[in-house]
Amino acid sequence: MTKLLSLIVALACCVAFLEEIDALDEAEKASNGGNTVTDCASASPEQVFIENDDLPVWWGYSIDNLFEDLFNCGEIVYHNTPVPVTEKDVEKVYQQFNELRDKYAKEVNLVPIQQPTPDNSFSVMTVPSEIKDAGGGKGKGLFASEMIKKGSLVMSLNAGNVGIFKEGATWREFVATLPRETACNFIEWCWIQEIIPEEGNEDDIRNGLTIFCAFDESSLMNAADWGDGEEANVRCGSSDDNKEGPCRFDYYATRDIEAGEELTVNYDEFEDPDQHQWVLIGL
């Protein structure tokens, strides 16, 4: 989309340039010092596009540009020394979930988002869990509050609390107009996934290449391959190692999980490991 707009702007500029040449003779151009128009022909479409003052600086940014250049998220997300997670940190995370949920409902709303009530949090998590310090420099993590039996449904993206985006430009604008810390967390919490259509659900808007972000504690579930050799205890599509189900919207316990144990998953079950899908969607 960005390249198409760039070419359109460049073409319009060059057409105007040719029309002005037809309108002026050599004497008129000389009297103006030869500077009556910009040499559009020598400018690339990208240069013409960038010089348009009406566009925000982040227009056309990739996900990496947003994370590194616009918000400098490394200062917020990564630390040279471990920083303990406090109750205030957890409260702030839930405040950000509320902020994101409200913004999505007002500005995007591709899918309906349920507002939590005292009786129903509409969390993706289907088992009791809590955000705590994951230790080892990992920051926040998600932990089982009660024992979870193998095969139990742990998460369902059908809870009504997951925002989706089908276009990179919409996601970019959503991120770029967030407060810095919320934006950095949102970038970290989102993932992109190619959802394979299922018989009977061919018209699901989530099918195909889709950006997801859950507005609840499930976003804090860490990857199992952090470096300490642990195996994931939550799996997408099926709980059986010998029976892989399609990774769509449900996640199951691969074994019995004790209360107080961290919940982890393998991100490459649902995300492209080389992150190329972000490029395909325009980011």
Side-chain angles (χ1 to χ4, degrees):
M1 182 64 73
T2 298
K3 288 186 178 295
L4 178 60
L5 289 175
S6 300
L7 291 172
I8 292 172
V9 173
L11 180 60
C13 179
C14 290
V15 169
F17 175 56
L18 293 174
E19 290 176 348
E20 189 155 0
I21 288 177
D22 292 337
L24 296 174
D25 59 24
E26 293 298 323
E28 288 174 329
K29 287 192 288 183
S31 67
N32 287 324
N35 296 320
T36 55
V37 294
T38 300
D39 186 3
C40 180
S42 65
S44 69
E46 288 78 9
Q47 287 174 317
V48 174
F49 189 68
I50 290 171
E51 291 170 1
N52 189 333
D53 293 335
D54 294 333
L55 298 175
V57 66
W58 45 262
W59 191 267
Y61 269 17
S62 69
I63 183 174
D64 290 338
N65 291 146
L66 292 167
F67 189 86
E68 298 168 4
D69 302 326
L70 186 63
F71 291 112
N72 191 17
C73 292
E75 291 184 349
I76 294 176
V77 176
Y78 307 121
H79 304 281
N80 292 329
T81 57
V83 178
V85 177
T86 66
E87 288 187 10
K88 286 187 177 181
D89 293 329
V90 175
E91 290 176 3
K92 183 184 291 186
V93 167
Y94 279 101
Q95 290 172 358
Q96 291 174 352
F97 288 147
N98 291 334
E99 177 183 353
L100 292 168
R101 188 185 298 110
D102 292 343
K103 180 178 173 69
Y104 182 88
K106 292 176 183 177
E107 299 179 9
V108 184
N109 204 34
L110 281 182
V111 291
I113 299 297
Q114 302 291 338
Q115 294 295 331
T117 68
D119 298 324
N120 192 339
S121 66
F122 293 101
S123 173
V124 168
M125 301 303 299
T126 60
V127 295
S129 58
E130 57 183 331
I131 300 171
K132 296 197 303 185
D133 192 327
K138 292 195 291 185
K140 304 175 189 70
L142 193 62
F143 293 77
S145 299
E146 299 177 0
M147 196 268 186
I148 303 171
K149 298 290 291 184
K150 178 181 178 179
S152 298
L153 179 66
V154 174
M155 296 194 305
S156 175
L157 302 186
N158 294 314
N161 199 26
V162 181
I164 69 163
F165 298 80
K166 300 297 288 188
E167 297 179 351
T170 306
W171 186 87
R172 180 188 298 115
E173 183 172 0
F174 187 91
V175 173
T177 51
L178 286 167
R180 182 188 179 201
E181 184 175 345
T182 306
C184 292
N185 284 333
F186 182 73
I187 294 172
E188 287 282 285
W189 294 337
C190 286
W191 74 95
I192 187 167
Q193 183 175 352
E194 180 77 30
I195 298 294
I196 306 302
E198 188 177 57
E199 185 176 356
N201 292 300
E202 293 87 354
D203 296 332
D204 194 323
I205 191 175
R206 297 171 296 180
N207 289 338
L209 198 59
T210 306
I211 299 172
F212 292 87
C213 189
F215 305 130
D216 58 44
E217 63 275 10
S218 64
S219 291
L220 278 296
M221 187 178 294
N222 286 318
D225 56 351
W226 192 267
D228 53 9
E230 68 175 302
E231 295 184 0
N233 51 25
V234 176
R235 182 174 183 151
C236 181
S238 171
S239 62
D240 190 344
D241 292 339
N242 299 316
K243 184 181 178 182
E244 293 189 10
C247 181
R248 286 174 57 83
F249 310 127
D250 292 333
Y251 294 72
Y252 300 87
T254 62
R255 58 173 174 80
D256 290 347
I257 303 172
E258 300 297 328
E261 190 175 349
E262 184 177 7
L263 302 173
T264 60
V265 68
N266 288 324
Y267 289 172
D268 59 8
E269 288 182 359
F270 49 87
E271 270 194 317
D272 182 7
D274 64 10
Q275 300 291 293
H276 183 62
Q277 289 175 335
W278 288 102
V279 178
L280 296 179
I281 208 167
L283 291 163

